[in-house]
Each structure stands twice: as C-alpha cells, then as structure tokens.
Amino acid sequence: MTEPRKIIIDTDPGQDDAAAIMLAFGSRDELNVLGITTVAGNVPLSYTSRNARIICELCERRDVKVFAGADAPLARKLVTAEHVHGKTGLDGPSLPEPTMPLQPGHSVDFIIETLRSEPEGAVTLCTLGPLTNIALAFQKAPDIVARVRELVMMGGGFFEGGNITPAAEFNIYVDPEAADIVFRSGVPIVMMPLDVTHQLLTRKDRVARMAAIGTPPAKAMVEMLEFFERFDIEKYGSDGGPLHDPTVIAYLLQPELFKGRDCNVEIEVTSELTVGMTVVDWWHVTDRKRNAKVMRFVDADGFFALLTERFARI
Ligand code: RIB
Ligand code: CA
C-alpha cells in the first residue's frame, strides 16, 4: 500500500472548487490534503476563506487546515464572478456559517514552509483559482520551485478560446502576471484548460446519480451544481454546465482519463484585447520550451463515474 499523495489545494470556492475539494476528501487512501489555501477570485477572499471552511465542515473534515491568502492580484484590480457563483460564491444550498477557525498565518507562508519541510518532490500543488498565492510564494522563496512534485492547475484555453473574454479563461485573466511567473518558473505543470472542462457537462443523468447517493455532502453538491450550471446553460445552450476544477484532482486519481501533450504555453500580459490569453503551441510550430503538459481530451463518463463513486465515500 503506497503512502497517500501529499497535496495542497489552492482555491477560490466556487461551487466547482467545492466539487474538487470533495473529490479529494472522498479519496483519502490516495490523497493526503496537507492544507487548503484560499485566494481571491470567484468572490472576495473573505468569502473564499468562509466557503473553504463550509466545505470542510460539510464533509466533517474540521481537521483540515485552511489558510487565507492573497486578497487581490499582483498588479491589477480584482475581477470576481458573482454572476456565475452567486454573491457568496457558494450559492445553491443553505449551509451553516463555519465554526472552524482559519489557521494563523498566510497561505503563501504555509506553502513555503510546507514545501521546505516536506521531502523534495513530495508535495503536489493543486490550483483551482488565480495563481496569485503560487506566484507570491515562488517570488518570496525561489528555492521551493525545485521542491514541487507537480503543479496541476485548472486554467487557460486554446482552441476553445476564453470564458471571461473571447481570449482569456477566468483564473488566468484575474491574475495574468501571476500566471506568467508560474509558467516561466520551470515548475512541472499539468494544465487543465477549457478545452477539457467544456467536455464535462453536468448533464441531468449525471447529477441524478450524485443525488441518489443521498448523503448531506452529495445533496449539497447537487444543489450547488444546479445553481452553478444555470449561467453556462443559458450562455452555451448546453445540457448542463462545464465542471472545471475537479479535473485537477481527477488527474491525480486516474490520469488515464485525460490525454494531452507537452507544449509551450505563454501568457499574454500586455494587450488589452487578449490579456490573460494562454498562447499554447499545440502543433509545436516554435522551438520554445515545452513548459507544460497540456490536456485536451477527457473520458467524460469515466470522470463523472469517479466523482460519483468518491462523493459516496465522504
Ligand atoms: O474558468 C473557470 C475557473 O474560474 C474555475 O476555477 C472556476 O471556479 C473559476 O475560478
Ligand atoms: Ca475555481
């Protein structure tokens, strides 16, 4: 029996972030969540830090350490997404306010201290929101970059374009300077772009199988998804909304669900028209360094089967 993989989840919950965190909680044999670090993104930091603790208490995981992190991008005004996630960022179910405390200390310092104290190559960073905390940690402690096993991130898009602008996906758009620092850092990146997540629609039959689990976490998740998907159903006219963030955790559990290739990825940080765009050299038309494993294809039925099976274990 191998040791569970040590991970830090950096997140801006967000209903889809909640699904990712719950997938990790339902996989205790494989994943050891060393901590959850929150960042401003979908909603302001006060809400993302509240929501992370609500999710922990919903899943009876008050043991998990939750830290608050950056309340704004490195160099820009915060852009949020209440239009998608609701005012609180976790609209849908009615859940009690958290009673577990935030940990003292900042997310960035927790990331640095954990990477320095754990053996080199032992910790995986799982990012579900803007990359502000990660960029700050790499700037403050460059020595930790080489200590990261892998950084698996939800963000970006290439043939699929953007979702917050025609060119940019939300997580990258909120803090393009942070994304630029991370993609230039040399850390081993696995990228889950919209090209993958837009294949993962919360179709009625899939949500019905989650509802049939019948536990409080599953019930709350269904109510979150029913709220979260309304915006994208309206926008795309699709059967359900794309489920973004759980792809990061699913990759750690069943990487064979995904297919992609090593590519060069660079971030647009200047053009007003395309700021936040992830420029992915999928066809290798340049000799730029292939700094990320970019996923493009996913087994959607396998993904939702994993989600449902693991939600039932929480
Ligand atoms: O573009 C989708 C991403 O932005 C997801 O992580 C969602 O939670 C939002 O943060
Ligand atoms: Ca997110």
Side-chain angles (χ1 to χ4, degrees), residues 190-278:
V190 176
M191 177 177 163
M192 290 289 170
L194 296 179
D195 301 77
V196 165
T197 67
H198 281 190
Q199 299 173 51
L200 299 169
L201 299 178
T202 56
R203 280 188 341 222
K204 285 186 180 39
D205 59 313
R206 290 166 171 167
V207 177
R209 278 190 285 275
M210 290 181 196
I213 297 169
T215 58
K219 182 172 174 298
M221 178 44 56
V222 166
E223 290 168 352
M224 285 184 210
L225 294 181
E226 284 169 348
F227 180 88
F228 169 71
E229 69 183 13
R230 84 212 179 286
F231 177 81
D232 285 322
I233 289 171
E234 173 72 25
K235 177 173 162 183
Y236 298 113
S238 46
D239 176 6
L243 196 48
H244 307 286
D245 291 338
T247 55
V248 169
I249 305 300
Y251 176 79
L252 301 183
L253 298 170
Q254 291 183 6
E256 65 279 8
L257 289 173
F258 302 90
K259 284 192 176 27
R261 65 170 68 147
D262 291 333
C263 299
N264 174 262
V265 180
E266 300 201 2
I267 312 296
E268 177 58 68
V269 293
T270 50
S271 152
E272 271 318 298
L273 178 63
T274 57
V275 64
M277 182 176 185
T278 49

Coordinates of all heavy atoms in Angstrom, one line a residue, residues 190-278:
V190 N 0.9 20.6 -15.1 CA -0.1 19.9 -15.8 C -1.3 20.9 -15.9 O -1.8 21.3 -14.9 CB -0.6 18.6 -15.2 CG1 -1.7 18.0 -15.9 CG2 0.6 17.6 -15.0
M191 N -1.7 21.2 -17.1 CA -2.7 22.2 -17.4 C -4.1 21.6 -17.8 O -4.1 20.9 -18.8 CB -2.2 23.2 -18.4 CG -3.1 24.3 -18.9 SD -2.2 25.4 -20.1 CE -3.6 26.3 -20.8
M192 N -5.1 22.0 -17.1 CA -6.5 21.6 -17.5 C -7.2 22.8 -18.0 O -7.8 23.6 -17.2 CB -7.2 21.0 -16.2 CG -6.7 19.7 -15.7 SD -7.1 18.4 -16.9 CE -6.1 17.1 -16.2
P193 N -7.3 22.9 -19.3 CA -7.9 24.1 -19.9 C -9.3 24.0 -20.2 O -9.9 22.8 -20.0 CB -7.1 24.3 -21.2 CG -6.8 22.9 -21.6 CD -6.6 22.1 -20.3
L194 N -10.0 25.0 -20.6 CA -11.4 24.9 -21.0 C -11.6 23.9 -22.1 O -12.7 23.3 -22.2 CB -11.9 26.3 -21.5 CG -11.9 27.4 -20.5 CD1 -12.3 28.7 -21.2 CD2 -12.7 27.1 -19.3
D195 N -10.6 23.6 -22.9 CA -10.7 22.6 -24.0 C -11.1 21.2 -23.4 O -11.8 20.4 -24.0 CB -9.4 22.5 -24.7 CG -9.0 23.8 -25.4 OD1 -8.5 24.7 -24.6 OD2 -9.3 24.0 -26.6
V196 N -10.6 21.0 -22.1 CA -11.0 19.7 -21.4 C -12.3 20.0 -20.7 O -13.3 19.2 -20.8 CB -9.9 19.3 -20.4 CG1 -10.4 18.3 -19.4 CG2 -8.7 18.8 -21.2
T197 N -12.4 21.0 -19.9 CA -13.5 21.2 -19.0 C -14.9 21.4 -19.7 O -15.9 21.0 -19.2 CB -13.3 22.3 -18.0 OG1 -13.3 23.6 -18.6 CG2 -12.0 22.1 -17.2
H198 N -14.8 21.9 -20.9 CA -16.1 22.1 -21.7 C -16.6 20.8 -22.2 O -17.7 20.8 -22.7 CB -15.8 23.1 -22.8 CG -15.9 24.5 -22.3 ND1 -15.9 25.6 -23.1 CD2 -15.9 25.0 -21.0 CE1 -16.0 26.7 -22.4 NE2 -15.9 26.4 -21.1
Q199 N -15.9 19.7 -22.1 CA -16.4 18.4 -22.4 C -17.1 17.7 -21.2 O -17.6 16.6 -21.3 CB -15.2 17.5 -22.9 CG -14.5 18.0 -24.1 CD -13.3 17.1 -24.4 OE1 -13.3 15.9 -24.5 NE2 -12.1 17.7 -24.6
L200 N -17.0 18.4 -20.1 CA -17.5 17.8 -18.8 C -18.8 18.4 -18.3 O -18.8 19.2 -17.4 CB -16.4 17.8 -17.8 CG -15.1 17.1 -18.2 CD1 -14.0 17.4 -17.2 CD2 -15.4 15.6 -18.3
L201 N -19.9 18.1 -19.0 CA -21.1 18.9 -18.7 C -22.0 18.1 -17.6 O -22.1 16.9 -17.6 CB -22.0 19.0 -20.0 CG -21.3 19.8 -21.1 CD1 -22.2 19.8 -22.4 CD2 -20.9 21.2 -20.7
T202 N -22.5 18.9 -16.7 CA -23.3 18.4 -15.6 C -24.7 18.0 -16.1 O -25.7 18.5 -15.7 CB -23.4 19.4 -14.5 OG1 -24.0 20.6 -15.1 CG2 -22.1 19.7 -13.9
R203 N -24.7 17.0 -17.0 CA -26.0 16.5 -17.6 C -26.9 16.0 -16.5 O -26.4 15.5 -15.5 CB -25.7 15.4 -18.6 CG -25.2 15.8 -19.9 CD -25.2 14.6 -20.9 NE -25.2 13.3 -20.3 CZ -24.4 12.3 -20.7 NH1 -23.5 12.5 -21.7 NH2 -24.4 11.1 -20.2
K204 N -28.2 16.1 -16.8 CA -29.2 15.7 -15.8 C -29.0 14.3 -15.2 O -29.0 14.0 -14.0 CB -30.6 15.8 -16.3 CG -31.1 17.2 -16.5 CD -32.5 17.3 -16.9 CE -33.0 18.8 -17.0 NZ -31.9 19.7 -17.6
D205 N -28.6 13.3 -16.1 CA -28.4 11.9 -15.7 C -27.2 11.8 -14.7 O -27.2 11.1 -13.8 CB -28.2 11.0 -16.9 CG -27.0 11.4 -17.7 OD1 -26.9 12.6 -18.1 OD2 -26.3 10.5 -18.1
R206 N -26.2 12.6 -15.0 CA -25.0 12.6 -14.2 C -25.3 13.2 -12.8 O -24.9 12.6 -11.7 CB -23.9 13.4 -14.8 CG -23.4 12.7 -16.1 CD -22.5 13.6 -17.0 NE -21.9 12.8 -18.0 CZ -21.3 13.3 -19.1 NH1 -21.2 14.7 -19.2 NH2 -20.7 12.6 -20.0
V207 N -26.0 14.3 -12.8 CA -26.4 14.9 -11.5 C -27.4 14.0 -10.7 O -27.3 13.9 -9.5 CB -27.0 16.3 -11.7 CG1 -27.4 17.0 -10.4 CG2 -25.9 17.2 -12.4
A208 N -28.2 13.3 -11.4 CA -29.2 12.4 -10.8 C -28.5 11.3 -10.0 O -28.8 10.9 -8.9 CB -30.2 11.9 -11.8
R209 N -27.4 10.8 -10.6 CA -26.6 9.7 -10.0 C -25.9 10.3 -8.7 O -25.8 9.5 -7.7 CB -25.6 9.1 -10.9 CG -26.2 8.1 -11.9 CD -25.2 7.3 -12.7 NE -24.6 8.2 -13.8 CZ -25.2 8.3 -15.0 NH1 -26.3 7.7 -15.2 NH2 -24.6 9.0 -15.9
M210 N -25.5 11.5 -8.7 CA -25.0 12.1 -7.5 C -26.1 12.3 -6.4 O -25.9 11.9 -5.3 CB -24.4 13.5 -7.8 CG -23.1 13.5 -8.6 SD -22.6 15.2 -8.9 CE -21.4 14.9 -10.3
A211 N -27.3 12.7 -6.9 CA -28.4 12.9 -5.9 C -28.8 11.6 -5.3 O -29.1 11.5 -4.1 CB -29.6 13.5 -6.7
A212 N -28.6 10.5 -6.0 CA -29.1 9.2 -5.5 C -28.2 8.7 -4.3 O -28.5 7.8 -3.6 CB -29.0 8.2 -6.6
I213 N -27.0 9.3 -4.2 CA -26.1 9.0 -3.1 C -26.8 9.2 -1.7 O -26.7 8.5 -0.8 CB -24.8 9.7 -3.1 CG1 -24.0 9.4 -4.4 CG2 -23.9 9.5 -1.9 CD1 -22.8 10.3 -4.7
G214 N -27.5 10.4 -1.7 CA -28.4 10.7 -0.6 C -27.8 11.2 0.7 O -28.5 11.4 1.7
T215 N -26.5 11.4 0.7 CA -25.8 11.9 1.9 C -25.9 13.5 1.9 O -26.0 14.1 0.9 CB -24.3 11.5 1.9 OG1 -23.7 12.1 0.8 CG2 -24.2 10.0 2.0
P216 N -25.7 14.1 3.1 CA -25.6 15.6 3.1 C -24.6 16.2 2.2 O -25.0 17.1 1.4 CB -25.4 15.9 4.6 CG -25.9 14.7 5.3 CD -25.6 13.5 4.4
P217 N -23.4 15.7 2.1 CA -22.4 16.3 1.1 C -22.9 16.2 -0.3 O -22.9 17.1 -1.1 CB -21.1 15.5 1.3 CG -21.2 15.0 2.7 CD -22.6 14.7 3.0
A218 N -23.5 15.0 -0.7 CA -23.9 14.8 -2.0 C -25.1 15.7 -2.3 O -25.2 16.3 -3.4 CB -24.3 13.3 -2.3
K219 N -26.0 15.8 -1.4 CA -27.2 16.6 -1.6 C -26.8 18.1 -1.8 O -27.3 18.8 -2.7 CB -28.2 16.5 -0.3 CG -29.5 17.3 -0.4 CD -30.4 16.9 0.8 CE -31.6 17.8 0.8 NZ -31.3 19.2 1.0
A220 N -25.9 18.6 -0.9 CA -25.4 19.9 -1.0 C -24.7 20.2 -2.4 O -24.9 21.2 -3.0 CB -24.5 20.3 0.1
M221 N -24.0 19.2 -2.8 CA -23.2 19.3 -4.1 C -24.2 19.4 -5.2 O -24.1 20.3 -6.1 CB -22.3 18.1 -4.3 CG -21.5 18.1 -5.6 SD -20.8 19.7 -6.1 CE -19.8 20.1 -4.7
V222 N -25.3 18.6 -5.2 CA -26.3 18.7 -6.3 C -26.9 20.1 -6.3 O -27.1 20.7 -7.4 CB -27.3 17.6 -6.1 CG1 -28.6 17.8 -6.9 CG2 -26.7 16.2 -6.4
E223 N -27.2 20.6 -5.1 CA -27.8 22.0 -5.1 C -26.8 23.0 -5.5 O -27.2 24.0 -6.2 CB -28.3 22.3 -3.6 CG -29.5 21.4 -3.2 CD -29.8 21.5 -1.7 OE1 -28.9 22.1 -1.0 OE2 -30.8 21.0 -1.3
M224 N -25.5 22.8 -5.3 CA -24.5 23.8 -5.8 C -24.5 23.7 -7.3 O -24.5 24.8 -8.0 CB -23.1 23.4 -5.2 CG -22.9 23.7 -3.8 SD -21.2 23.3 -3.3 CE -21.4 23.0 -1.6
L225 N -24.4 22.5 -7.8 CA -24.3 22.3 -9.3 C -25.6 22.9 -10.0 O -25.5 23.5 -11.0 CB -24.1 20.9 -9.7 CG -22.8 20.3 -9.2 CD1 -22.7 18.8 -9.7 CD2 -21.6 21.1 -9.7
E226 N -26.7 22.7 -9.4 CA -28.0 23.2 -10.0 C -28.0 24.7 -10.1 O -28.5 25.3 -11.0 CB -29.2 22.6 -9.3 CG -29.4 21.2 -9.7 CD -30.5 20.5 -8.8 OE1 -30.9 21.1 -7.7 OE2 -30.9 19.4 -9.1
F227 N -27.3 25.3 -9.1 CA -27.2 26.8 -9.1 C -26.1 27.2 -10.2 O -26.3 28.0 -11.1 CB -26.8 27.4 -7.7 CG -26.7 28.9 -7.8 CD1 -27.8 29.7 -7.6 CD2 -25.5 29.5 -8.1 CE1 -27.7 31.1 -7.6 CE2 -25.3 30.9 -8.1 CZ -26.4 31.6 -7.9
F228 N -25.0 26.6 -10.0 CA -23.8 26.9 -10.8 C -24.0 26.8 -12.3 O -23.5 27.6 -13.1 CB -22.6 26.0 -10.3 CG -21.4 26.0 -11.1 CD1 -20.5 27.1 -11.1 CD2 -21.0 24.9 -11.9 CE1 -19.3 27.1 -11.9 CE2 -19.8 24.9 -12.6 CZ -19.0 26.0 -12.6
E229 N -24.7 25.7 -12.7 CA -24.8 25.4 -14.1 C -25.7 26.3 -14.9 O -25.7 26.5 -16.1 CB -25.3 23.9 -14.3 CG -26.7 23.7 -13.9 CD -27.1 22.2 -14.0 OE1 -26.2 21.4 -14.2 OE2 -28.3 22.0 -14.0
R230 N -26.6 27.0 -14.1 CA -27.7 27.8 -14.8 C -27.0 28.8 -15.8 O -27.5 29.0 -16.9 CB -28.6 28.5 -13.8 CG -28.1 29.8 -13.3 CD -28.4 30.2 -11.9 NE -27.7 31.5 -11.7 CZ -26.4 31.6 -11.6 NH1 -25.6 30.5 -11.6 NH2 -25.8 32.8 -11.4
F231 N -25.9 29.5 -15.3 CA -25.3 30.5 -16.1 C -24.8 30.0 -17.5 O -25.0 30.5 -18.5 CB -24.2 31.2 -15.3 CG -23.4 32.3 -16.1 CD1 -24.0 33.6 -16.2 CD2 -22.3 32.0 -16.8 CE1 -23.3 34.5 -16.9 CE2 -21.6 33.0 -17.5 CZ -22.1 34.2 -17.6
D232 N -24.1 28.8 -17.4 CA -23.5 28.3 -18.6 C -24.5 27.6 -19.5 O -24.4 27.6 -20.7 CB -22.4 27.3 -18.2 CG -21.1 28.0 -17.7 OD1 -20.8 29.1 -18.3 OD2 -20.5 27.5 -16.8
I233 N -25.6 27.1 -18.9 CA -26.6 26.5 -19.8 C -27.2 27.6 -20.6 O -27.4 27.5 -21.8 CB -27.7 25.8 -18.9 CG1 -27.2 24.5 -18.3 CG2 -29.0 25.5 -19.8 CD1 -28.1 23.9 -17.3
E234 N -27.5 28.8 -20.0 CA -28.0 30.0 -20.7 C -27.0 30.4 -21.8 O -27.4 30.7 -22.9 CB -28.2 31.0 -19.6 CG -28.6 32.4 -20.1 CD -30.1 32.4 -20.6 OE1 -30.9 31.6 -20.2 OE2 -30.4 33.3 -21.5
K235 N -25.7 30.4 -21.4 CA -24.7 31.0 -22.3 C -24.4 30.1 -23.5 O -24.3 30.5 -24.6 CB -23.4 31.2 -21.5 CG -22.2 31.7 -22.2 CD -21.1 32.0 -21.1 CE -19.8 32.0 -21.7 NZ -18.7 32.2 -20.6
Y236 N -24.3 28.8 -23.2 CA -23.9 27.8 -24.2 C -25.1 27.0 -24.8 O -24.9 26.3 -25.8 CB -22.9 26.8 -23.7 CG -21.6 27.5 -23.2 CD1 -21.2 27.4 -21.8 CD2 -20.7 28.1 -24.0 CE1 -20.1 28.0 -21.3 CE2 -19.5 28.7 -23.6 CZ -19.2 28.6 -22.2 OH -18.0 29.2 -21.8
G237 N -26.2 27.1 -24.2 CA -27.3 26.3 -24.6 C -27.0 24.8 -24.5 O -27.5 24.0 -25.4
S238 N -26.2 24.5 -23.5 CA -25.8 23.1 -23.4 C -26.6 22.3 -22.4 O -27.4 22.9 -21.6 CB -24.3 23.1 -22.9 OG -24.2 24.0 -21.8
D239 N -26.5 21.0 -22.4 CA -27.2 20.1 -21.5 C -26.3 20.0 -20.2 O -25.5 19.1 -20.1 CB -27.4 18.7 -22.1 CG -28.1 17.8 -21.1 OD1 -28.4 18.2 -20.0 OD2 -28.2 16.6 -21.4
G240 N -26.4 21.0 -19.4 CA -25.6 21.1 -18.2 C -24.4 22.1 -18.4 O -24.2 22.5 -19.5
G241 N -23.8 22.4 -17.3 CA -22.7 23.4 -17.4 C -21.3 22.6 -17.3 O -21.3 21.5 -16.8
P242 N -20.2 23.2 -17.8 CA -18.9 22.6 -17.7 C -18.4 22.6 -16.2 O -18.5 23.6 -15.5 CB -18.0 23.4 -18.5 CG -18.7 24.8 -18.6 CD -20.1 24.5 -18.4
L243 N -17.9 21.4 -15.8 CA -17.4 21.3 -14.4 C -15.9 21.3 -14.5 O -15.2 20.4 -14.9 CB -17.9 19.9 -13.8 CG -17.8 19.8 -12.3 CD1 -18.4 20.9 -11.6 CD2 -18.5 18.5 -11.9
H244 N -15.3 22.5 -14.0 CA -13.9 22.8 -14.3 C -13.0 22.1 -13.3 O -12.1 21.3 -13.6 CB -13.7 24.3 -14.3 CG -14.6 25.0 -15.2 ND1 -14.4 25.1 -16.6 CD2 -15.7 25.8 -14.9 CE1 -15.4 25.8 -17.1 NE2 -16.1 26.3 -16.1
D245 N -13.0 22.5 -12.0 CA -12.0 22.3 -11.1 C -11.7 20.8 -10.7 O -10.6 20.5 -10.4 CB -12.2 23.2 -9.8 CG -12.0 24.6 -10.1 OD1 -11.3 25.0 -11.1 OD2 -12.5 25.5 -9.3
P246 N -12.7 20.0 -10.6 CA -12.5 18.6 -10.2 C -11.5 17.9 -11.2 O -10.9 16.8 -10.8 CB -13.8 17.9 -10.2 CG -14.8 19.0 -10.1 CD -14.2 20.2 -10.8
T247 N -11.3 18.4 -12.4 CA -10.4 17.8 -13.3 C -9.0 17.7 -12.7 O -8.2 16.7 -12.9 CB -10.2 18.6 -14.6 OG1 -9.9 19.9 -14.3 CG2 -11.5 18.6 -15.4
V248 N -8.6 18.7 -11.9 CA -7.3 18.7 -11.3 C -7.1 17.5 -10.3 O -6.1 16.8 -10.4 CB -7.1 20.0 -10.5 CG1 -5.8 20.0 -9.6 CG2 -7.0 21.2 -11.5
I249 N -8.1 17.2 -9.5 CA -8.0 16.1 -8.6 C -8.2 14.8 -9.3 O -7.5 13.8 -9.0 CB -9.0 16.3 -7.4 CG1 -8.9 17.7 -6.8 CG2 -8.9 15.1 -6.4 CD1 -7.6 17.9 -6.1
A250 N -9.1 14.8 -10.3 CA -9.3 13.5 -11.0 C -8.0 13.1 -11.7 O -7.7 11.9 -11.8 CB -10.4 13.8 -12.1
Y251 N -7.2 14.1 -12.2 CA -6.0 13.7 -12.8 C -5.0 13.0 -11.9 O -4.3 12.0 -12.3 CB -5.3 15.0 -13.4 CG -3.9 14.7 -14.0 CD1 -3.8 14.2 -15.3 CD2 -2.7 14.9 -13.2 CE1 -2.6 13.9 -15.8 CE2 -1.5 14.6 -13.8 CZ -1.4 14.1 -15.1 OH -0.2 13.9 -15.6
L252 N -5.0 13.4 -10.6 CA -4.2 12.7 -9.6 C -4.6 11.3 -9.4 O -3.9 10.4 -9.1 CB -4.1 13.5 -8.3 CG -3.6 14.9 -8.4 CD1 -3.6 15.5 -7.0 CD2 -2.3 15.0 -9.0
L253 N -5.9 11.1 -9.5 CA -6.5 9.8 -9.1 C -6.5 8.8 -10.3 O -6.2 7.7 -10.2 CB -8.0 10.0 -8.6 CG -8.1 10.8 -7.4 CD1 -9.6 11.1 -7.1 CD2 -7.5 10.1 -6.2
Q254 N -6.9 9.3 -11.5 CA -7.0 8.5 -12.7 C -6.4 9.3 -13.9 O -7.2 9.8 -14.7 CB -8.4 8.0 -13.0 CG -8.9 7.0 -11.9 CD -10.3 6.6 -12.2 OE1 -10.9 6.9 -13.3 NE2 -10.9 5.8 -11.3
P255 N -5.1 9.5 -14.0 CA -4.6 10.3 -15.1 C -4.9 9.7 -16.5 O -5.0 10.5 -17.4 CB -3.0 10.2 -14.9 CG -2.8 9.1 -13.9 CD -4.1 8.9 -13.1
E256 N -5.3 8.4 -16.5 CA -5.6 7.8 -17.8 C -6.9 8.3 -18.4 O -7.2 8.1 -19.6 CB -5.6 6.3 -17.7 CG -6.7 5.7 -16.8 CD -6.4 5.7 -15.3 OE1 -5.3 6.3 -14.9 OE2 -7.2 5.2 -14.5
L257 N -7.7 9.1 -17.6 CA -8.9 9.7 -18.1 C -8.6 10.8 -19.1 O -9.5 11.2 -19.8 CB -9.7 10.3 -16.9 CG -10.4 9.3 -16.0 CD1 -11.0 10.1 -14.8 CD2 -11.5 8.5 -16.7
F258 N -7.4 11.3 -19.1 CA -7.0 12.5 -19.8 C -5.9 12.2 -20.9 O -5.1 11.3 -20.7 CB -6.5 13.6 -18.9 CG -7.5 14.0 -17.8 CD1 -7.5 13.3 -16.6 CD2 -8.4 15.0 -18.0 CE1 -8.4 13.6 -15.6 CE2 -9.3 15.3 -17.0 CZ -9.3 14.6 -15.8
K259 N -6.0 13.0 -21.9 CA -4.9 12.9 -23.0 C -4.5 14.3 -23.4 O -5.3 15.2 -23.5 CB -5.4 12.2 -24.2 CG -5.6 10.6 -24.0 CD -5.8 9.9 -25.2 CE -5.8 8.3 -25.0 NZ -6.2 7.9 -23.6
G260 N -3.2 14.5 -23.5 CA -2.7 15.8 -23.9 C -1.2 15.6 -24.4 O -0.8 14.5 -24.6
R261 N -0.5 16.7 -24.4 CA 0.9 16.6 -24.8 C 1.7 17.8 -24.2 O 1.1 18.8 -23.8 CB 1.0 16.6 -26.3 CG 0.5 17.9 -27.0 CD 0.9 18.0 -28.5 NE 0.2 17.0 -29.3 CZ -0.2 17.3 -30.6 NH1 0.1 18.5 -31.2 NH2 -0.8 16.4 -31.3
D262 N 3.0 17.6 -24.2 CA 3.9 18.7 -23.7 C 3.9 19.8 -24.7 O 4.1 19.6 -25.9 CB 5.3 18.2 -23.5 CG 5.4 17.2 -22.3 OD1 4.5 17.3 -21.4 OD2 6.2 16.3 -22.3
C263 N 3.7 21.0 -24.3 CA 3.6 22.2 -25.2 C 4.3 23.4 -24.5 O 4.3 23.5 -23.3 CB 2.2 22.6 -25.5 SG 1.1 21.4 -26.2
N264 N 4.6 24.3 -25.4 CA 5.0 25.7 -24.8 C 3.7 26.4 -24.5 O 2.8 26.4 -25.4 CB 5.8 26.4 -25.8 CG 6.1 27.9 -25.3 OD1 5.4 28.8 -25.7 ND2 7.0 28.0 -24.4
V265 N 3.6 27.1 -23.4 CA 2.5 27.9 -23.0 C 3.0 29.3 -22.5 O 3.9 29.3 -21.6 CB 1.6 27.3 -21.9 CG1 0.4 28.2 -21.6 CG2 1.1 25.9 -22.3
E266 N 2.6 30.3 -23.1 CA 3.0 31.7 -22.7 C 1.7 32.5 -22.4 O 0.7 32.2 -23.0 CB 3.9 32.3 -23.7 CG 5.2 31.5 -23.9 CD 6.4 32.2 -24.4 OE1 6.3 33.4 -24.6 OE2 7.4 31.6 -24.6
I267 N 1.9 33.5 -21.6 CA 0.7 34.2 -21.1 C 0.7 35.7 -21.7 O 1.8 36.3 -21.5 CB 0.7 34.3 -19.6 CG1 0.9 32.9 -18.9 CG2 -0.7 34.9 -19.1 CD1 -0.1 31.9 -19.2
E268 N -0.3 36.1 -22.2 CA -0.4 37.5 -22.7 C -0.7 38.4 -21.5 O -1.7 38.2 -20.7 CB -1.6 37.6 -23.7 CG -1.8 39.1 -24.2 CD -0.6 39.7 -24.8 OE1 -0.2 39.2 -25.9 OE2 0.1 40.6 -24.2
V269 N 0.2 39.4 -21.3 CA 0.0 40.3 -20.1 C 0.0 41.8 -20.5 O -0.2 42.6 -19.7 CB 1.2 40.1 -19.1 CG1 1.2 38.7 -18.4 CG2 2.6 40.4 -19.7
T270 N 0.1 42.0 -21.8 CA 0.1 43.5 -22.2 C -1.2 43.9 -23.0 O -1.8 44.8 -22.7 CB 1.3 43.8 -23.0 OG1 1.5 42.9 -24.0 CG2 2.6 43.8 -22.1
S271 N -1.4 43.1 -24.1 CA -2.5 43.6 -25.0 C -3.9 43.7 -24.2 O -4.3 42.7 -23.6 CB -2.7 42.5 -26.1 OG -4.0 42.5 -26.6
E272 N -4.5 44.8 -24.3 CA -5.8 45.0 -23.7 C -6.8 44.0 -24.3 O -7.7 43.5 -23.6 CB -6.3 46.4 -23.9 CG -5.8 47.4 -22.7 CD -5.9 46.7 -21.3 OE1 -7.0 46.4 -20.9 OE2 -4.9 46.5 -20.7
L273 N -6.7 43.7 -25.6 CA -7.6 42.9 -26.3 C -7.5 41.4 -25.8 O -8.5 40.7 -25.6 CB -7.4 42.9 -27.8 CG -8.3 42.0 -28.7 CD1 -9.7 42.5 -28.6 CD2 -7.8 42.1 -30.2
T274 N -6.3 40.9 -25.6 CA -6.1 39.5 -25.3 C -5.5 39.2 -24.0 O -5.0 38.1 -23.8 CB -5.3 38.9 -26.4 OG1 -4.0 39.5 -26.5 CG2 -6.0 38.9 -27.8
V275 N -5.4 40.2 -23.1 CA -4.7 39.9 -21.8 C -5.3 38.7 -21.1 O -6.5 38.5 -21.1 CB -4.8 41.2 -20.9 CG1 -6.2 41.5 -20.5 CG2 -3.9 41.0 -19.7
G276 N -4.4 37.9 -20.6 CA -4.9 36.6 -19.9 C -5.0 35.4 -20.8 O -5.3 34.3 -20.4
M277 N -4.7 35.7 -22.1 CA -4.8 34.5 -23.0 C -3.6 33.6 -22.8 O -2.5 34.0 -22.5 CB -4.7 35.0 -24.5 CG -4.8 33.9 -25.5 SD -4.8 34.7 -27.2 CE -5.1 33.2 -28.2
T278 N -3.9 32.3 -22.8 CA -2.8 31.3 -22.7 C -2.5 30.9 -24.2 O -3.3 30.3 -24.9 CB -3.2 30.0 -22.0 OG1 -4.5 29.6 -22.5 CG2 -3.3 30.3 -20.5

